[in-house]
Amino acid sequence: MRNLGSLHQFLGITAERTSTGLLLHQTKYAESILARAGMTNCKPLETPSNPKTNVSTESPTFSNPTLYRQLVRALQYLTLTRPDIAYAVNRASQAMHIPTEVQFSALKRILRYIRGTVHYGLPLTGNSLTLTSYSDSDCARDQQDRKSTIGYCNFLGNSLISWSLKKQSTIARSSTEAEYRAIAANTTEIIWLRRLLQELDCPQNGSTTLYCDNTSTIALANNPVYHARTKHIEIDCHFIQECIQNNSINVHHISTKDQLADLFTKSLPNARFKELTNKLILSSETISLRGDVSNK
């Protein structure tokens, strides 16, 4: 083994030192995606998706599906440091088999948003080693198949360290079921993170707080009464209840306004999108202007 010095580049990800830790970004990679799409000088947009637009299945097929797939795959790698585009890229990924003109227009919107935020990345700080989590779900928002999208994100102190969103494989019969399945998916991630932190000599002495904005889901998690409405999610009920009893997680209510995982489950209006994005990512240009980047 040999000491390679401070981290600067790793698999296309740039690590810039700040006064509080690190900023991970993929500015050069994002610019290469824009160049591949011929959109280097495109007009920037404030959000990667339009909440008022519904993708129509009747739109003509896009003439260059190979380009569409290449761009989507490239954007999937960009989400490693850009959680703000995760939902929009996930939606674009669902059309890779037969992309349409409308779906390509939606993809170009993502690229126009990236054009204006090309210097943004993921800040990592060492202020705390306490694990906290946020879990959310929409309910049958997809008008094509009415399947819900679950999303969650996990923080170590103030640093976002993991996030995920996924369309559910079955149709949820209620918002409680959709939210409960989101909690179940997130709990498996929390258990893995807790074990990893234990191996890294950073044990979580107490239970991990998991925030959810659905009161019925929280009530079911703490007191799983199996009746006609919840019998079909009995396995998840047992799993969550076991994790609560062994002090791995502690499910708390949070207002929808403060639900950070909201960013991963739906397209949001400009003001709401900016509010949540500002809590997750940061611009390397802003850091440079503030003089926070270390020259050591």
Side-chain angles (χ1 to χ4, degrees):
M1 297 176 64
R2 58 178 177 171
N3 187 354
L4 299 178
S6 300
L7 176 66
H8 295 290
Q9 292 280 342
F10 180 75
L11 297 178
I13 300 175
T14 300
E16 287 192 23
R17 294 193 174 275
T18 70
S19 60
T20 57
L22 290 174
L23 177 71
L24 306 181
H25 65 85
Q26 296 168 277
T27 299
K28 292 182 179 180
Y29 184 69
E31 290 174 341
S32 70
I33 297 174
L34 293 170
R36 185 187 306 179
M39 299 181 64
T40 302
N41 299 315
C42 64
K43 183 179 179 181
L45 291 176
E46 294 184 334
T47 59
S49 58
N50 187 348
K52 298 181 180 180
T53 299
N54 293 322
V55 177
S56 174
T57 56
E58 299 178 357
S59 174
T61 303
F62 180 52
S63 58
N64 191 353
T66 300
L67 175 63
Y68 183 93
R69 296 178 187 122
Q70 289 174 345
L71 293 175
V72 170
R73 291 190 185 106
L75 289 173
Q76 287 174 340
Y77 189 69
L78 186 61
T79 59
L80 289 177
T81 58
R82 295 294 302 271
D84 52 323
I85 64 170
Y87 177 78
V89 173
N90 177 271
R91 294 286 297 174
S93 301
Q94 296 175 31
M96 290 180 68
H97 56 300
I98 308 178
T100 65
E101 291 287 349
V102 171
Q103 288 159 339
F104 183 66
S105 295
L107 179 62
K108 288 197 294 184
R109 183 185 178 94
I110 302 174
L111 296 173
R112 291 176 66 183
Y113 168 72
I114 291 172
R115 175 67 277 169
T117 59
V118 70
H119 295 287
Y120 278 71
L122 195 66
L124 299 178
T125 62
N127 62 322
S128 171
L129 295 177
T130 301
L131 187 65
T132 55
S133 183
Y134 297 80
S135 179
D136 194 23
S137 175
D138 68 351
C139 185
R141 186 176 293 270
D142 193 314
Q143 297 187 7
Q144 304 299 325
D145 56 18
R146 289 302 178 184
K147 292 180 180 178
S148 303
T149 298
I150 63 173
Y152 60 80
C153 54
N154 297 299
F155 288 79
L156 195 61
N158 293 331
S159 301
L160 178 64
I161 60 171
S162 77
W163 60 92
S164 179
L165 63 142
K166 181 181 180 182
K167 181 184 282 190
Q168 294 182 347
S169 57
T170 58
I171 298 175
R173 304 181 193 178
S174 65
S175 60
T176 299
E177 179 184 350
E179 294 274 3
Y180 208 90
R181 294 201 185 282
I183 288 181
N186 193 11
T187 300
T188 59
E189 178 82 357
I190 292 172
I191 299 301
W192 182 83
L193 287 172
R194 288 173 63 90
R195 290 173 179 170
L196 176 62
L197 291 170
Q198 178 75 33
E199 293 180 5
L200 296 175
D201 201 24
C202 298
Q204 300 296 295
N205 296 322
S207 58
T208 297
T209 302
L210 194 163
Y211 292 105
C212 173
D213 59 8
N214 188 294
T215 54
S216 297
T217 300
I218 296 173
L220 181 61
N222 289 283
N223 184 23
V225 179
Y226 304 115
H227 48 72
R229 233 180 67 186
T230 60
K231 193 174 293 183
H232 53 288
I233 53 173
E234 184 173 345
I235 295 176
D236 282 340
C237 284
H238 280 298
F239 173 60
I240 297 296
Q241 182 68 10
E242 181 184 29
C243 291
I244 291 175
Q245 290 177 348
N246 65 25
N247 211 33
S248 293
I249 65 169
N250 190 3
V251 185
H252 280 263
H253 181 259
I254 191 173
S255 68
T256 302
K257 180 178 180 295
D258 298 321
Q259 176 57 274
L260 300 184
D262 205 26
L263 184 70
F264 301 102
T265 61
K266 59 184 73 71
S267 297
L268 299 171
N270 288 11
R272 175 66 172 162
F273 180 82
K274 287 182 179 179
E275 177 188 1
L276 295 180
T277 298
N278 289 337
K279 296 179 180 180
L280 301 181
I281 60 175
L282 192 64
S283 171
S284 59
E285 286 189 334
T286 302
I287 291 177
S288 298
L289 290 173
R290 290 176 181 171
D292 288 340
V293 177
S294 172
N295 293 321
K296 296 181 181 179

